[in-house]
Amino acid sequence: MIFSTTPAYAHGYVSSPPSRQANCAQGKVPDCGPIIWEPQSVEGPKGQRNCHAGDARWAPLSDESKPWPATRVGNSVTFTWRLTAVHATTTWEYYIGNTRVAVFNEGGRRPPSTVTHQVNLSGYSGRQKVLAIWNIADTPMAFYSCVDLQIGAGDPDPTPTPTPTPTPTPTDTTPPSGTWAAGTSYAVGAQVTYGGAAYRCLQAHRSQAGWEPPNAPALWQKTG
């Protein structure tokens, strides 16, 4: 990872209630960037209090203008972590604002692939953002997940209703012989060239720097 010369190998995120990266991976929030392919990778130095781990690649997770869905819960919430690669762990922490509302000490043990914590949020009500942190034992890194909740009764708004991202029409795409370019809407089946090779679009999307066809196999299939 770019923040440490010692890789942490572990990866994971809060899957229930769905964290922001989980909602992005499920297509429930638009324009999340590359987190949609790797929700488990929000890793950064320990001690941060943001949703994107201080990594610009995941910056959309800290964008409060996005229509983040809020899960309606009671005063006691079970948080479930899905770990795609386990690692020795010091603690799991949960924050609302700058207040730590719960901590669970792992004592340097390697957790299982699914970890659950029961957290008492009886001192809070209404819409709240919980920051869940997985602190790795033998590196300076941690994994971060923000979870939007509606605690108790009430309307989970002011989160706006998500606006579906329209599927690009053929007029939105470059011609079949076009060269790939950032800032372009591509429909499924669009044909482009890049770096002397030909590619076919697998998923409708709006291109951006870093999503060049050789770097985005989930979006482009090389055809020649």
Side-chain angles (χ1 to χ4, degrees):
M1 294 295 177
I2 61 175
F3 291 100
S4 173
T5 57
T6 304
Y9 297 120
H11 289 84
Y13 65 104
V14 174
S15 60
S16 178
S19 58
R20 290 186 174 185
Q21 53 258 60
N23 280 318
C24 285
Q26 294 169 18
K28 294 181 179 179
V29 180
D31 302 323
C32 288
I35 195 65
I36 62 176
W37 296 300
E38 45 182 319
Q40 72 278 5
S41 297
V42 185
E43 180 187 21
K46 294 173 184 173
Q48 300 188 72
R49 298 293 178 266
N50 60 70
C51 301
H52 67 288
D55 189 325
R57 293 174 298 171
W58 323 129
L61 296 174
S62 292
D63 184 351
E64 300 303 331
S65 70
K66 288 190 175 298
W68 302 112
T71 302
R72 192 180 298 277
V73 297
N75 291 327
S76 182
V77 183
T78 300
F79 292 89
T80 301
W81 284 81
R82 179 186 175 192
L83 310 185
T84 60
V86 299
H87 205 69
T89 302
T90 54
T91 58
W92 312 82
E93 299 178 285
Y94 294 84
Y95 285 84
I96 292 181
N98 290 320
T99 301
R100 189 171 71 177
V101 295
V103 59
F104 300 87
N105 194 330
E106 201 72 49
R109 294 181 294 272
R110 291 170 61 90
S113 59
T114 300
V115 176
T116 61
H117 300 124
Q118 195 77 19
V119 177
N120 186 344
L121 298 177
S122 59
Y124 297 88
S125 63
R127 188 180 177 94
Q128 301 289 343
K129 180 178 69 179
V130 176
L131 172 62
I133 304 173
W134 174 23
N135 291 303
I136 305 305
D138 51 5
T139 80
M141 309 300 276
F143 286 81
Y144 297 80
S145 283
C146 278
V147 184
D148 295 281
L149 301 176
Q150 177 69 26
I151 303 173
D155 192 331
D157 285 334
T159 299
T161 301
T163 301
T165 301
T167 301
T169 63
T171 56
D172 292 326
T173 67
T174 56
S177 61
T179 301
W180 182 93
T184 303
S185 293
Y186 289 104
V188 174
Q191 303 285 334
V192 300
T193 58
Y194 184 86
Y199 296 87
R200 177 182 178 274
C201 182
L202 300 176
Q203 296 185 49
H205 66 284
R206 185 171 179 80
S207 61
Q208 65 181 52
W211 293 8
E212 294 82 1
N215 300 330
L219 299 177
W220 296 100
Q221 179 183 37
K222 188 174 181 181
T223 59

